[in-house]
């Protein structure tokens, strides 16, 4: 097969932040083209969105159900190959399920579903379908995050002892959901966001990043969630103690009321022999420290793992950012879809979060909610 | 007209760094699609490149002359609307001229031409054609660079007194042109690069950035160029004193033998009332300092000029980088082409470097070369 | 009284790190001179230390008891005015008590005593004596820490919601106490260090800093302490969830096995209206952030509180560090002793940690130890 | 001889910035005590200053002449051992000469004298006296500056090719000398400051630092000096191209009108094999970069030269700053004076700027003044 993959989008109307990110990420490496979409619950808005993207009118749909059915009727090579789901959380599961059951691969925003039960069911559907499913925990797409994972894997840090992952934001310091602020409204609405607010929206990114880099699993945790802004329906801040399956300890905190913080995801990993530090807002520097010295690892400077190298597009000193990390997820997903079509194995330097990462994310949410309500110190990670 | 613009590319074979940047930048905002190309002097390599980009074989050409002629024969809306020139410097002028003379808009890499004479001739051709011409001095596409320019324009700094612009790189610290290293080979070859090496390749970026942000013009300068690496044919380092048309003084230095530096373009602008500082390698922070305080200006944090805002795509804390700045040039160029097609004026929040910036770049090169050879302290900026 | 204050030192033998810091801090502002000392449990080492400091032999004592008795017999103005206690923790209380009971003021290293009972007893002794007592929680001596406290006090941040204080070090990543490494040996010995290792040595600094800047009190906490290094007798890492008396939440973690970290105390304070960030390793920058912008507050740049200004000695851009912050504690203590001698009130721009801060430090240690052993999530702060 | 050295101070009245720095630096390591002074041209102010420092009245003098004469009459061991000169530049030479001719060692602020002629004469006086003379180019006292010098000496960078040294300040952006601002008034007065303003006050620090770290000598230069602030009598900004004796090239610029800059001395040194970068405002980090990687060298982290180690007083992560670097000059000077007294050689890990560094500083000033007035590009460094 020698052609671009064809993408249909679910969600991502004109004023959506993350939909536009997905669209740019998808086309970035010339492997994918957007061919159709159901961009909004409002057919009129879906139409306007599709037209602004220069789609033909007959490929702009009123609903994902219509899209999946109609596209399926088109000949292979013309019809979409996969769908990208960028709706609020409660609308992830239905289109994912329908697409998979109709033979379309799926790439989906996070958290994967509205609750853990849906997540587990989705995992079964994916398994049964044999199709490719990717979850856009986009921060794992950064080359320096991959380099961090490779350093841990190499054993250079020795046994991991401590992990600190922090995700402060400040944008919900006020009651923004009262301001016709679409991003705020659905994220603070339990019906659309799920059982957790901040911990679902960004806490799951932190959890995923910690497990991705260290290769460890959280086994139990102790959470203290708070809703600081009066009138808000979900947590806007959470502090969590972590214990990992190898005996490592950790701290995870996430917040959307850390006033003045932008999107300050950062992680610190300490092993017997050295430590790593990475900040999402300066993503092209990985700090590698030990009692012998402090090294800044930078894309395409000196030795670097094949996995990191495979996700860098520019010479050193030419900063790549959020879009490029996101595009790495899409490109690797595209490679996986092509490998699937061609009956080949994906080269392991390419990787992306799977449906099982999605299950862990929802389990994390349910565990922190349970722990928050408990007077016991430790709550086992929900299976 | 409601469709994407159609781009034909000149240069940008598979192993070219900058061609791939242009292609990603072009499609990033869904306003442009690549429809054809003449990607290499080698027809075979051009073919392989076009195929890897999923172009149909009949839109992959053996030469830019063939491309321009054949595309012109296609119906409007199918044929390309503009060409993107990403060849080495000596091959900028011929395709630009031919394209303009055949009614195609042009976007071209920098420095604009091989020498000042070509640059002036090209300016005349552009004027005569009435078409849109953009030069990819991409660093002016960064939002924080635009914010810096707007702060200067606002008068908040008062009269500008001093400008320091520095562009150290280290990648040519050894005789890389002997290593079959394509990027090094043509940049150090006078026949393909022009009269200057480092000063042409990156010194012109520094000159352009200084004039862009300050709105000032260099009137005279004093240059000391050096070729440090034995066997190299062009300068790999240059230090320049500057004088500007308002009486401001400055320093510009650029280097490709500053060992260990990546792509460390940085600029400092000082006025009567305050100063600015910007580093390309951390492009999302603009330092605004005065004796009253030090402020970090960041995309989408607090008040910001419309010009800066119009070039930001993400919420605060989601880093945009080199590709996005480059894409800003392409998108603004696309808007200009559309405005041209529709007989409209381009909204002034959008801007991109023009053919006159290109002329100044070549004049800068010729002036530093002349100054370097002179025993006089000051050499007037060549007109 | 117009003369320097006279200091006698307890502890601080030749190879002690903190004793040398105290001595330099004491003399830094020309308000104090070292006149005598009992520098070691070994009379011979005490002698060598005193001689290296050019003390006369008859003012170098074999024990603190001897020093206090003999100095008391000297005439006022010749005898020491106060003692500085820089011994391991188990030897803080005895000399402090004896000195106060004999009319000498006291400045003492932290944690204040070996346990909470001693701490409370010492508070009573201080009260009864009417003398001046200072505790060298030296990090509160940094001007930017004082500025942070003043910003919180001013109400500019609104109600404080979240506090994150982190104190990672890596120097005990291995079993250093087996290496004849004096600093490691006593700090990991319960008989000399107290019930906690890392949490006593540096966790108390973190606790003190958080309460100092915010003016809040921790009311309950949830701690998870670990001893990672085999053979070690005390905790070398601890993670703690915090709740404050105004409803604010927080995280405190401290570690001496965070491999590669130097002395990376840092604090983040978020209120309804803005946030602050300070790093001990770059102590001259205080970050003041809100959704409106990000400002770097620097010594003697722009407006600054009188309290901060009173603790800066240099023009902007001339970095002051650890010694100067320490010296601020000593100088303010000296001012307090002089004010006491002269029957005056200390100007409130000067301040230093008190015996009550010391009591809270020990209460913190006992609370985290209790919490660590509990299966309950929350443990009330010990009174 | 087992006692502290005794210092007499010339200049440093109560409101002087640098005098107070010298006094703290002198006593910092317990090797020096202040025993007398002539602190001001005003006897009354000298008296007040001495008293504030708790000096006895009979050791507070009305003039340096009186001090030198009267001290000489005191017995050895009671009289001062050396003088510290901290007056404005025009008052460096007279007390230095008189002290040396009367057998007192001298430590003196920079620039060493009012002009080159005085500097050369002073060098002869020092030679003839056989006494110890130190010049407080204090930035060479930073441990990481010494480490930089050692790295260059080790040959790890290969041949040095390029040096960029920058010293922007902003504090004279306005006509401060009209504001009864003592620091500004004398520095902008040719009779007290010498032929250069900014270039004398801080340009000489930059020149000294570049030559200290690289071990190279400037052989010719091209200078462009400016007085931006109306009414000012001396340069407040200067940009200089440099050529060194090994063929290296460089840029030096210094400014006191770089609005918003504090005291931002920084240096970049590039060799065939790697580069170094150091910023005075973050003095505890030395960047060591090459195409293989970027390392942060920090005090007491990993391997370090004996010369650097000998100038660090604290464990890693405990920031030392401006005072400590200054104190390193004083301590090493004290060691030299003691070695002189004891007829011993100074251990070469200790070093401080000499009278010959002072001569080069004045030669630098005269060369940049001459170059500034010349229409020739290059001016040979004055001998």
């Amino acid at each position: 097969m020698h052609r671009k993959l064809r993408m249909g989008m679910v969600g991502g109307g004109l004023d959506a932040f993350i939909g536009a990110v997905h669209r740019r990420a998808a086309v970035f490496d010339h492997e994918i083209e957007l061919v159709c979409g159901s961009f909004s619950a409002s057919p009129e808005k879906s139409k306007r969105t599709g037209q602004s993207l220069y789609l033909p009118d007959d490929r702009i749909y009123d609903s994902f159900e219509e899209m999946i059915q109609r596209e399926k009727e088109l000949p292979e090579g013309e019809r979409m190959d996969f769908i990208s789901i960028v709706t609020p959380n409660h609308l992830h599961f239905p289109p994912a399920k329908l697409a998979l059951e109709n033979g379309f691969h799926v790439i989906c925003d996070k958290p994967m579903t509205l609750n853990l039960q849906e997540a587990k069911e989705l995992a079964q559907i994916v398994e049964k379908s044999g199709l490719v499913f990717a979850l856009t925990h986009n921060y794992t797409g950064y080359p320096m995050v991959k380099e961090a994972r490779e350093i841990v894997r190499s054993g250079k840090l020795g046994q991991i002892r401590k992990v600190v992952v922090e995700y402060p934001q400040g944008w919900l310091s006020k009651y923004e959901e009262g301001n016709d602020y679409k991003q705020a409204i659905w994220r603070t609405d339990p019906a659309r966001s799920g059982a957790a607010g901040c911990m679902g929206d960004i806490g799951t990114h932190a959890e995923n990043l910690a497990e991705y880099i260290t290769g460890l699993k959280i086994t139990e945790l102790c959470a203290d969630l708070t809703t600081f802004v009066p009138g808000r329906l979900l947590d806007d801040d959470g502090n969590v103690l972590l214990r990992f399956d190898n005996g490592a300890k950790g701290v995870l905190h996430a917040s959307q009321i850390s006033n003045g913080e932008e999107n300050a995801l950062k992680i610190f990993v300490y092993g017997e022999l050295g430590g790593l530090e990475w900040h999402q807002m300066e993503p092209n520097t990985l700090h590698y420290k030990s009692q012998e010295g402090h090294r800044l690892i930078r894309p395409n400077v000196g030795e670097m793992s094949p996995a990191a190298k495979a996700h860098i597009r520019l010479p050193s000193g030419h900063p790549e950012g959020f879009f490029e990390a996101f595009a790495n997820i899409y490109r690797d997903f595209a490679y996986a879809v092509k490998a699937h079509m061609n009956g080949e194995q994906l080269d392991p330097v390419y990787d992306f979060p799977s449906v099982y990462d999605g299950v862990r994310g929802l389990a994390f949410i349910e565990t922190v909610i349970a722990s928050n309500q408990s007077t016991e110190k430790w709550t086992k990670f929900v299976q």
Side-chain angles (χ1 to χ4, degrees), chain A:
Chain A
M1 194 202 79
H2 185 74
R3 60 167 176 82
K4 290 188 184 182
L5 293 177
R6 289 171 168 77
M7 175 170 97
M9 179 164 264
V10 181
L14 279 174
D15 53 354
F17 145 53
I18 206 67
V21 170
H22 280 254
R23 283 192 290 265
R24 287 191 173 98
V27 303
F28 196 65
D29 290 298
H30 315 299
E31 293 294 343
I32 294 167
E33 62 186 322
L34 177 71
V35 296
C36 63
S38 161
F39 300 102
S40 172
S42 150
E44 187 274 331
K45 192 168 154 194
S46 182
K47 186 70 69 185
R48 272 192 298 125
T49 303
Q51 287 176 342
S52 78
L53 294 161
Y54 308 110
L55 289 181
D57 283 356
D58 63 353
R59 303 291 283 276
I60 309 173
Y61 301 101
D62 289 356
S63 68
F64 71 83
E65 293 91 343
E66 186 198 7
M67 182 171 83
I68 288 168
Q69 181 188 327
R70 295 266 301 280
E71 288 288 320
K72 200 177 174 184
E73 297 162 7
L74 294 175
E76 198 279 339
E78 182 174 343
R79 72 168 173 253
M80 66 181 188
D81 298 303
F82 70 92
I83 67 165
S84 166
I85 302 174
V86 299
T87 45
N89 307 344
H90 68 303
L91 292 174
H92 289 177
F93 180 74
K97 178 176 193 292
L98 192 64
L100 290 162
E101 290 176 347
N102 282 279
F104 296 105
H105 308 278
V106 172
I107 186 166
C108 181
D109 212 81
K110 45 48 60 187
M112 188 167 75
T113 55
L114 194 62
N115 54 49
L116 179 58
Q117 185 185 328
E118 277 185 3
K120 289 177 173 175
E121 190 177 339
L122 187 55
Q124 291 180 329
I125 295 168
V126 170
E127 285 172 10
K128 189 170 157 201
S129 75
L131 296 169
V132 181
F133 181 93
L135 189 71
T136 53
H137 272 307
N138 50 290
Y139 298 113
T140 65
Y142 277 112
M144 292 301 95
V145 168
K146 296 196 184 291
E147 183 69 8
R149 183 195 56 175
E150 294 301 307
I151 289 171
V152 173
R153 282 183 177 172
S154 75
K156 281 182 206 161
L157 304 185
Q159 174 99 340
I160 299 305
R161 289 170 165 173
K162 180 159 188 178
V163 180
V164 179
V165 60
E166 318 188 73
Y167 202 154
Q169 295 181 334
W171 68 290
L172 288 177
S173 290
K174 296 182 200 146
Y175 189 65
E176 300 289 355
E177 51 269 57
N179 294 335
D180 194 26
Y181 184 178
K182 188 185 150 131
Q183 301 303 327
I185 291 168
W186 78 256
R187 278 184 175 78
T188 57
D189 175 3
R192 286 179 277 181
S193 190
C198 170
M199 292 312 280
D201 190 27
I202 61 174
T204 50
H205 272 310
E207 167 267 327
N208 179 258
L209 187 66
E211 296 198 342
Y212 182 79
I213 289 178
T214 64
L216 302 176
K217 298 291 177 200
I218 301 167
T219 53
E220 53 186 354
L221 56 76
C222 172
D224 187 22
L225 309 188
T226 312
T227 303
F228 278 106
V229 173
R232 183 158 292 157
L233 300 176
L234 291 171
D235 59 286
D236 48 25
D237 185 82
N239 303 321
V240 189
L241 303 181
L242 304 175
R243 289 179 162 185
F244 291 90
D245 54 0
N246 76 333
K249 300 292 186 77
V251 175
L252 179 155
H253 62 92
S255 177
Q256 293 175 323
I257 57 82
S258 289
N259 207 318
E261 297 289 359
E262 302 180 21
N263 189 45
L265 175 60
K266 44 194 166 170
I267 187 164
F268 304 80
V269 175
Y270 303 105
E272 294 166 312
L273 306 176
L276 296 174
E277 174 180 344
W278 180 78
H279 295 242
Q280 191 271 149
M281 285 171 60
E282 296 188 10
N284 297 302
T285 300
L286 174 65
H287 298 258
Y288 182 6
K289 302 190 241 187
S290 75
Q291 289 167 277
E292 282 69 49
H294 183 164
R295 199 151 68 83
L296 306 185
I297 300 179
R298 308 247 327 146
N300 281 333
V301 178
E303 296 271 313
M304 191 145 291
S305 67
K309 273 187 175 297
H311 296 85
I312 303 168
R313 297 170 185 84
L314 289 171
S316 67
H318 296 72
E320 298 192 58
F322 185 88
F323 281 116
E324 288 73 31
F326 223 107
N328 282 334
I329 306 286
Y330 265 91
R331 191 204 53 182
D332 289 2
F333 168 74
Y335 287 170
V337 170
K338 285 213 165 173
H340 182 277
M341 288 174 166
N342 296 332
E344 294 164 356
Q345 287 292 318
L346 183 64
D347 183 331
V349 302
Y350 306 116
D351 76 293
F352 49 85
S354 73
V355 74
Y356 305 107
D357 293 294
V359 172
R360 274 199 79 74
L362 272 299
F364 174 75
I365 291 172
E366 302 216 350
T367 311
V368 295
I369 296 287
S371 172
N372 184 53
Q373 291 163 350
S374 171
T375 61
E376 292 287 307
K377 188 187 275 182
W378 297 107
T379 300
K380 296 265 179 240
F381 206 87
V382 174
Q383 296 298 329

